[in-house]
Amino acid sequence: MADSDPPDVFAVAELLCLVSSRLSLLTWTAADRRHGHRTALQRGWTEYFWSHQDLIVFSYEHRHPSYSPAAAAAAVAAARAKSQSKSQAKTKASSTSSKTFEDDAPEEYRSLYANALHTLHQYRDPSHPKWAHHFFSYDHLTLVHRDAILSVGGWDTHIPFYGTDCDMYTRLMWAGYAQNQSTTPGTRAGHILDVSTVLDDIGALFRIPGIKASFPGDPHPHARNQKAKPGSAAAATAKDTSKFTEAETYASLLSMGRRMQRAKYAHGNGARNSWQVKQQGGQGEPFYRDAEGFESGVEMWIEAGRAVFSAKWGHRGCDIARKWATGKKTGDGNGLKDGWRVERDWDAEKEGGGAPEKEE
């Protein structure tokens, strides 16, 4: 997107609209997932989206380098007029009939919100195999099929945090439900980045002139002044990345988001939840929690969930589906009906309980 293009706040606004729309966006913890499922039941939603809270997202503006809202509308109108030709309609029908789910890449600009709904419409096709989840960036953004979860007995409320998704995803797989991931440009909704810090000024995200994109602890604060590589997405979306006197460019914002994600994982995967201890302020308020104490409590809860999961399935780790390839439906071997009836496959006295120490 060029510096002269109008700020595109629609992608952000549309994503926020998911919060209040019938296809709701719900945030993630084990409790939030169960609450989201209960909300879907209460409100009659057959599908909904959930998301992690610690994300920054961007639509694929680089798919149409000359994008502007007016240009996007004109492109859609032209495509509709073109499709009125009977011969072209037949050609389109024959060419798309053999397309796989992964091949359906958009020719025109679509926001992250529109891409997510496009995926939902594909799953609503009556001919689509039964499904439970679609992971856009693993489970950072996930489309959920409510009735699939009901069919396997719902979330196991005894298991908090990480063990609960291992339990649910495995039971759904054993029951024959598809749980697909976005792995190609045609199925990804947008840039979904896992972060643990905040912008110095959110106005940069809305491209308010004069507000620059920055965040505390940026390991490479001068990266924004570097020229984009020829042929890269950054080069396609910014005519001149050396000019920062007006609103931020898409390329600069995306570069910043990626640096935020790298900063989160700078000390390895095990440190990605250390954001809890960084929380400041609130002392004296009724719901204040000591940051270090809160982090310790979360870690205890995580370990408790892993211990319950291990005791339920007799195995430490999320690879139980690969370990038990037979008897998954009938209960004639380790599988869907065998929770709490399986002997441990490790020596608890020598190796301890719960998850292996190195498991993330």
Side-chain angles (χ1 to χ4, degrees):
M1 183 174 183
D3 289 340
S4 58
D5 286 336
D8 175 22
V9 300
F10 296 109
V12 178
E14 286 175 333
L15 183 61
L16 295 176
C17 283
L18 280 168
V19 176
S20 58
S21 70
R22 192 169 185 273
L23 295 167
S24 187
L25 176 68
L26 300 161
T27 55
W28 182 92
T29 64
D32 286 338
R33 292 187 183 195
R34 294 192 285 267
H35 173 70
H37 188 67
R38 183 169 60 249
T39 301
L41 288 169
Q42 292 172 343
R43 301 193 179 186
W45 298 337
T46 55
E47 302 93 4
Y48 58 95
F49 294 89
W50 81 43
S51 168
H52 284 225
Q53 301 174 54
D54 45 351
L55 301 176
I56 186 168
V57 303
F58 300 94
S59 295
Y60 285 134
E61 294 182 28
H62 68 277
R63 283 185 172 171
H64 198 300
S66 60
Y67 167 73
S68 70
V76 171
R80 287 176 178 171
K82 185 177 181 180
S83 68
Q84 292 177 357
S85 168
K86 291 184 178 181
S87 61
Q88 290 173 338
K90 290 180 180 179
T91 302
K92 182 179 180 181
S94 62
S95 63
T96 58
S97 60
S98 61
K99 281 187 177 181
T100 65
F101 183 83
E102 290 76 13
D103 290 332
D104 188 18
E107 295 181 358
E108 77 284 352
Y109 169 84
R110 281 202 301 252
S111 68
L112 186 150
Y113 173 87
N115 279 330
L117 293 187
H118 178 75
T119 299
L120 170 62
H121 293 156
Q122 290 181 297
Y123 278 111
R124 281 182 167 176
D125 186 329
S127 65
H128 197 284
K130 67 177 186 177
W131 65 281
H133 294 104
H134 184 91
F135 303 112
F136 291 97
S137 178
Y138 187 52
D139 66 353
H140 295 129
L141 176 62
T142 305
L143 172 61
V144 184
H145 190 197
R146 180 199 66 190
D147 293 346
I149 293 175
L150 284 176
S151 73
V152 296
W155 292 93
D156 188 337
T157 56
H158 286 93
I159 307 176
F161 279 88
Y162 298 128
T164 195
D165 53 5
C166 293
D167 177 82
M168 173 56 72
Y169 298 160
T170 301
R171 287 189 286 131
L172 287 165
M173 187 180 68
W174 281 339
Y177 285 96
Q179 298 179 95
N180 299 316
Q181 294 194 53
S182 293
T183 57
T184 66
T187 59
R188 297 186 186 110
H191 295 286
I192 301 171
L193 305 173
D194 186 19
V195 301
S196 61
T197 186
V198 296
L199 296 174
D200 289 318
D201 191 329
I202 197 173
L205 193 61
F206 289 90
R207 303 179 200 179
I208 297 175
I211 299 178
K212 308 307 174 186
S214 61
F215 65 95
D218 187 346
H220 302 289
H222 302 296
R224 66 191 312 281
N225 296 319
Q226 297 176 0
K227 290 282 187 179
K229 293 181 180 180
S232 68
T237 53
K239 292 181 179 178
D240 186 353
T241 56
S242 66
K243 296 180 180 179
F244 295 99
T245 56
E246 300 298 331
E248 284 287 29
T249 64
Y250 169 75
S252 176
L253 289 169
L254 181 57
S255 173
M256 176 207 62
R258 286 172 170 162
R259 295 199 308 278
M260 292 173 76
Q261 180 167 261
R262 287 196 295 270
K264 180 173 184 175
Y265 290 89
H267 301 290
N269 192 53
R272 64 190 178 92
N273 285 324
S274 60
W275 59 267
Q276 289 99 334
V277 78
K278 299 177 184 177
Q279 304 305 302
Q280 303 292 327
Q283 291 88 341
E285 296 179 359
F287 290 92
Y288 169 74
R289 299 291 185 273
D290 176 79
E292 293 185 1
F294 183 85
E295 183 180 45
S296 297
V298 169
E299 290 298 327
M300 292 177 186
W301 207 4
I302 288 172
E303 290 305 312
R306 287 171 171 164
V308 175
F309 173 86
S310 300
K312 178 178 180 179
W313 296 112
H315 179 69
R316 302 186 299 173
C318 288
D319 60 343
I320 53 175
R322 292 192 297 271
K323 180 179 174 61
W324 302 337
T326 61
K328 57 181 177 288
K329 293 183 179 179
T330 64
D332 296 331
N334 293 335
L336 189 60
K337 299 180 181 180
D338 291 315
W340 299 107
R341 302 194 301 170
V342 185
E343 292 185 0
R344 292 190 185 98
D345 62 3
W346 79 96
D347 189 329
E349 291 186 1
K350 294 181 179 179
E351 302 177 55
E357 291 184 3
K358 292 183 179 181
E359 181 184 355
E360 295 297 346

